[in-house]
Amino acid sequence: MLHDSIFYILISNGDIETIQFGDADSVITDKSKFEGGGKTVNEFEAMYYDDSLQQLVLLCKNCDGDGSKAVSAWGYTISTKAYTSLVYAIDTEPIAKKLGVDKLKLRPSAAAINPVTNELYILSSLSKLIVVTNRKGKFIDLYELDPGIYTQPEGIAFTPDGDLIISNEGLENGLQNILIIRNKRKGL
């Protein structure tokens, strides 16, 4: 993720590495350690910048204590390089109810804020879902992805006009691609 000319890279254990290009082809790197990152089974894959919180937000893919009822979100303040536990939690029960299942283990693989609607879009590759919440994690809607088109959706982003971009890593026999879904609300 790029923010203010610095690349932020989320490591699966919650560590965050930064890369910044300096003068004369120099590269400046840094690493922030997630407390207990090597001693817990917490796994992270989704990270986005929330300008209203002034933080990077890390969504747990598989974290202690989440179970099938919640997805916890951690904050990372760029200026202090400090983590904040449980910025919010996403209740998965309304999502499971809308899908018509008893319970759902939501495993976020990517997330992004839609600049037009100000909603958070969370991609779950394993479930082939896009879950839409507000910025506090309250469920709004969901979109089921066709596994024939979205073979392994792992990345999500938006253009400034609200066009949705999804990248597929592809399975062994699948193709890697980037798909753009145009915002139908443009010009309204």
Side-chain angles (χ1 to χ4, degrees):
M1 193 203 106
L2 178 65
H3 178 72
D4 286 342
S5 74
I6 300 173
F7 290 94
Y8 292 87
I9 302 154
L10 176 63
I11 310 302
S12 64
N13 68 356
D15 292 352
I16 296 176
E17 293 187 12
T18 61
I19 299 173
Q20 184 176 17
F21 296 98
D23 295 334
D25 295 330
S26 66
V27 177
I28 304 160
T29 62
D30 193 17
K31 185 172 188 173
S32 296
K33 291 278 207 184
F34 184 78
E35 188 175 325
K39 298 176 182 147
T40 64
V41 295
N42 293 343
E43 180 183 6
F44 296 90
E45 218 174 85
M47 177 177 70
Y48 66 94
Y49 181 74
D50 188 323
D51 57 352
S52 68
L53 296 172
Q54 297 292 301
Q55 289 185 325
L56 295 174
V57 178
L58 293 66
L59 298 178
C60 284
K61 182 176 184 179
N62 189 23
C63 287
D64 286 338
D66 281 358
S68 63
K69 296 191 179 219
V71 172
S72 55
W74 292 72
Y76 176 81
T77 305
I78 292 170
S79 60
T80 62
K81 299 179 183 178
Y83 289 88
T84 306
S85 63
L86 205 58
V87 176
Y88 62 82
I90 300 167
D91 180 2
T92 60
E93 288 187 41
I95 302 165
K97 184 177 179 181
K98 179 141 186 182
L99 286 169
V101 297
D102 291 333
K103 56 185 172 178
L104 171 73
K105 178 69 175 162
L106 183 65
R107 295 178 183 242
S109 50
I113 301 283
N114 183 325
V116 174
T117 65
N118 206 27
E119 297 165 330
L120 174 62
Y121 280 54
I122 302 163
L123 179 64
S124 175
S125 182
L126 187 64
S127 303
K128 302 288 191 278
L129 291 175
I130 294 177
V131 175
V132 182
T133 72
N134 68 12
R135 287 190 184 214
K136 302 266 187 214
K138 185 174 185 317
F139 175 68
I140 297 171
D141 205 354
L142 66 85
Y143 301 96
E144 295 182 74
L145 300 175
D146 181 342
I149 298 170
Y150 302 95
T151 54
Q152 190 178 351
E154 294 285 351
I156 189 169
F158 285 94
T159 66
D161 288 336
D163 296 337
L164 176 63
I165 301 168
I166 297 176
S167 63
N168 281 297
E169 285 185 9
L171 298 170
E172 287 180 25
N173 296 323
L175 296 174
Q176 299 82 20
N177 58 25
I178 296 174
L179 303 170
I180 299 174
I181 297 100
R182 300 281 178 210
N183 178 5
K184 291 181 183 177
R185 297 180 190 172
K186 268 194 244 184
L188 294 180

